[in-house]
């Protein structure tokens, strides 16, 4: 399978992707992140890494994930197809980059991976990869999130990870990032920081997009083999942007394929603090050490954000997406909570697939779009994860 990133979204020597991205300024972190970047570039040239990564994808993750034609959802207009990343081991696309990151940490001689987690999805995927490859894993998580996401905390502990509760500030994701970075800074010799999306300073956007690119390469070949053509549109939800980037990368040269990323409009784009539509309503600036569009308050600080899907609950969006947005190659749309819950229930009841609430945003957009297109029109949706984690919330929300 062809691999690698399209030049248009590959950073230059300064970590810049168009006017976005960049390298970290912090002196101690600069050296540490350069070591990770050099290690990453060496590793992806190494045939023994490529072989090991490929074998784990096939025998452990369960790749390739299939493409499924959702005929019931397609009854009202265009044809909807799902790339089933929900069928991966651990239930989402996140395992694709976590295995890559832990393989790199091991190659660099590190003993431990450190990360933050919000809802716990990245924490669980990273703890899984660390258990598999024999590294220690330390996950920083806000106390508020620990209370809310108990099953994921238990999963991490069973997998052998150390979960570090973060008890300052709002005790959620932002504080968890600060806490994890501090722990990493205190131990750069023995540990590697493992970010959970295509965000942050170089080399993370490039590295995570590279590890996720298998999704698009697979999907493009599978679609062509099954239907003798490419999809007219490719759709994915976007939090930081990793599942969307993994999918879009392989289609960048196919100018006839419309690329659509779907942001969470939450309770409405007119309600500040009650959505996380970073591209739609954000401004350019510098967030967590890289340039991107992010939602800002009146002082230019990251604004409060909200999404029904905690994996999309992030004020910024990765630099590659910002560059695709400004170039006009990809389109950024949104779906609100009501549309998302409707899509969640329709996919469950009409196709027997319970999606993650994150992924349901992409399905919601596809359903809306399909109703305006002829039945020959083909829409491929990246179904980034399964919804087991969301069932209690949905039952309570809908009063079922
Ligand atoms: C974390 C997560 C997302 C959002 O992350 P991206 O980096 O934007 O892909 C989407 N879907 C699922 C199932 C997730 O767990």
């Amino acid at each position: 399978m062809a691999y690698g990133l399209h030049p248009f979204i590959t950073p230059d020597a300064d970590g810049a992707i168009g006017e976005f991205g960049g390298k970290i300024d912090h002196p101690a972190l600069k050296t540490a992140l350069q070591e990770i970047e050099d290690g990453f570039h060496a590793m992806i040239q190494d045939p023994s890494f490529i072989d090991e990564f490929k074998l784990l994808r096939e025998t452990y993750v369960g790749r390739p994930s299939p493409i499924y034609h959702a005929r019931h959802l397609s009854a009202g207009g265009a044809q909807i197809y799902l790339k089933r990343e929900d069928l991966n081991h651990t239930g989402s696309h996140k395992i694709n980059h976590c295995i890559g990151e832990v393989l790199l940490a091991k190659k660099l001689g590190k003993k431990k991976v450190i990360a933050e987690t919000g809802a716990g999805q990245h924490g669980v995927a990273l703890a899984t990869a660390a258990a598999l490859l024999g590294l220690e894993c330390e996950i920083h998580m806000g106390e508020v999130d620990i209370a809310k996401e108990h099953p994921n905390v238990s999963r991490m502990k069973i997998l052998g990870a150390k979960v570090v509760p973060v008890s300052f500030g709002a005790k959620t994701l932002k504080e968890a990032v600060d806490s994890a970075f501090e722990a990493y800074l205190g131990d750069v010799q023995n540990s590697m920081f493992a970010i959970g999306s295509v965000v942050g300073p170089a080399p993370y956007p490039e590295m995570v997009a590279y590890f996720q690119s298998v999704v698009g390469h697979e999907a493009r070949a599978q679609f062509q083999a099954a239907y003798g053509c490419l999809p007219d549109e490719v759709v994915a939800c976007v939090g930081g942007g990793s599942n969307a980037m993994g999918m879009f990368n392989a289609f960048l040269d196919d100018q006839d394929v419309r690329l659509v990323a779907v942001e969470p409009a939450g309770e409405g784009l007119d309600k500040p603090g009650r959505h996380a539509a970073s591209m739609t309503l954000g401004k350019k600036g510098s967030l967590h050490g890289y340039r991107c569009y992010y939602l800002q308050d009146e002082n230019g600080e990251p604004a409060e954000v909200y999404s029904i899907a905690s994996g999309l609950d992030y004020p910024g969006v990765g630099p590659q997406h910002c560059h695709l947005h400004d170039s006009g190659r990809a389109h950024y749309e949104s779906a609100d909570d009501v549309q998302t819950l409707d899509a969640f229930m329709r996919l469950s009841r009409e196709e027997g697939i319970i999606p993650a609430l994150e992924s349901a945003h992409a399905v919601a957009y596809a359903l809306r779009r399909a109703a305006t297109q002829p039945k020959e029109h083909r829409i491929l949706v990246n179904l980034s994860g399964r919804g087991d984690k969301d069932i209690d919330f949905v039952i309570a929300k809908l009063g079922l």
Side-chain angles (χ1 to χ4, degrees):
M1 180 84 52
Y3 223 75
L5 285 193
H6 193 283
F8 191 70
I9 54 165
T10 301
D12 66 16
D14 297 321
I17 301 149
E19 56 179 295
F20 303 99
K23 293 196 172 180
I24 199 117
D25 271 339
H26 190 290
L29 274 180
K30 202 180 170 89
T31 314
L33 296 194
Q34 192 62 49
E35 181 199 7
I36 296 173
E37 180 174 336
D38 294 344
F40 166 68
H41 286 143
M43 184 173 82
I44 62 176
Q45 301 297 330
D46 174 358
S48 72
F49 159 76
I50 303 286
D51 287 348
E52 185 175 10
F53 197 32
K54 185 164 176 284
L55 186 71
L56 289 175
R57 285 203 309 257
E58 290 172 7
T59 60
Y60 188 76
V61 178
R63 306 206 67 90
S65 65
I67 286 179
Y68 168 70
H69 183 191
R71 285 189 181 75
H72 299 114
L73 288 190
S74 307
Q79 303 308 300
I80 296 176
Y81 303 82
L82 306 173
K83 173 67 169 163
R84 299 288 310 275
E85 290 299 291
D86 61 311
L87 294 177
N88 294 338
H89 177 48
T90 69
S92 84
H93 70 288
K94 285 198 171 75
I95 192 74
N96 297 325
H97 66 247
C98 285
I99 288 183
E101 288 181 321
V102 178
L103 280 172
L104 175 59
K106 206 170 160 167
K107 185 121 189 150
L108 292 173
K110 308 293 183 188
K111 299 193 169 46
K112 192 201 282 186
V113 281
I114 298 181
E116 80 293 342
T117 196
Q121 297 299 106
H122 176 55
V124 168
L126 194 66
T128 300
L132 168 72
L133 295 163
L135 262 72
E136 291 170 40
C137 179
E138 182 179 303
I139 303 293
H140 294 244
M141 189 169 183
E143 279 182 343
V144 169
D145 292 328
I146 289 181
K148 249 185 7 204
E149 309 288 348
H150 220 264
N152 275 342
V153 177
S154 302
R155 288 164 85 192
M156 286 185 266
K157 286 183 179 166
I158 288 172
L159 290 162
K162 180 176 164 202
V163 179
V164 179
V166 179
S167 56
F168 57 90
K171 305 174 190 170
T172 61
L173 181 61
K174 188 185 167 300
E175 292 77 26
V177 173
D178 295 338
S179 170
F181 252 110
E182 204 172 298
Y184 172 56
L185 257 181
D187 193 18
V188 289
Q189 214 62 35
N190 288 310
S191 60
M192 189 183 110
F193 198 76
I195 291 183
S197 188
V198 286
V199 299
Y204 292 98
E206 178 190 10
M207 188 161 84
V208 172
Y210 174 91
F211 294 140
Q212 286 295 346
S213 68
V214 65
V215 179
H217 290 305
E218 265 178 27
R220 192 178 184 282
Q222 287 170 312
F223 206 93
Q224 212 148 27
Y227 308 109
C229 62
L230 292 178
D232 298 296
E233 291 190 52
V234 173
V235 177
C237 66
V238 58
S242 66
N243 88 88
M245 197 49 56
M247 196 64 154
F248 291 178
N249 173 66
F251 294 94
L252 287 177
D253 282 334
D254 304 313
Q255 294 298 333
D256 292 340
V257 178
R258 188 168 179 264
L259 304 176
V260 185
V262 186
E263 301 194 305
E267 293 173 359
L269 295 178
D270 56 342
K271 294 199 176 68
R274 302 307 295 164
H275 62 76
S278 320
M279 194 75 89
T280 309
L281 293 174
K283 297 195 186 97
K284 285 178 196 173
S286 210
L287 174 72
H288 297 149
Y290 70 104
R291 296 182 298 279
C292 66
Y293 282 99
Y294 70 99
L295 290 165
Q296 305 182 6
D297 66 15
E298 39 307 333
N299 304 317
E301 294 296 314
E304 227 175 281
V305 286
Y306 154 84
S307 168
I308 195 175
S310 39
L312 304 182
D313 193 342
Y314 179 69
V317 59
Q320 292 147 329
H321 282 288
C322 299
H323 189 45
L324 286 174
H325 170 270
D326 281 10
S327 72
R329 179 65 189 92
H331 304 272
Y332 292 78
E333 304 276 352
S334 62
D336 67 21
D337 287 358
V338 174
Q339 295 163 344
T340 299
L341 280 168
D342 179 60
F344 178 98
M345 291 309 294
R346 283 193 61 189
L347 186 53
S348 298
R349 295 199 168 169
E350 295 178 31
E351 303 284 356
I353 298 171
I354 303 177
L357 280 169
E358 288 82 359
S359 325
H361 284 77
V363 178
Y365 172 80
L367 287 167
R368 205 165 81 208
R369 175 81 174 159
T372 71
Q373 299 296 313
K375 70 178 194 316
E376 301 73 33
H377 190 82
R378 294 177 155 119
I379 303 175
L380 174 61
V381 176
N382 195 13
L383 200 71
S384 55
R386 68 176 184 229
D388 304 42
K389 66 188 180 59
D390 298 314
I391 52 178
D392 291 341
F393 174 83
V394 171
I395 292 275
K397 183 88 184 165
L398 298 180
L400 295 176

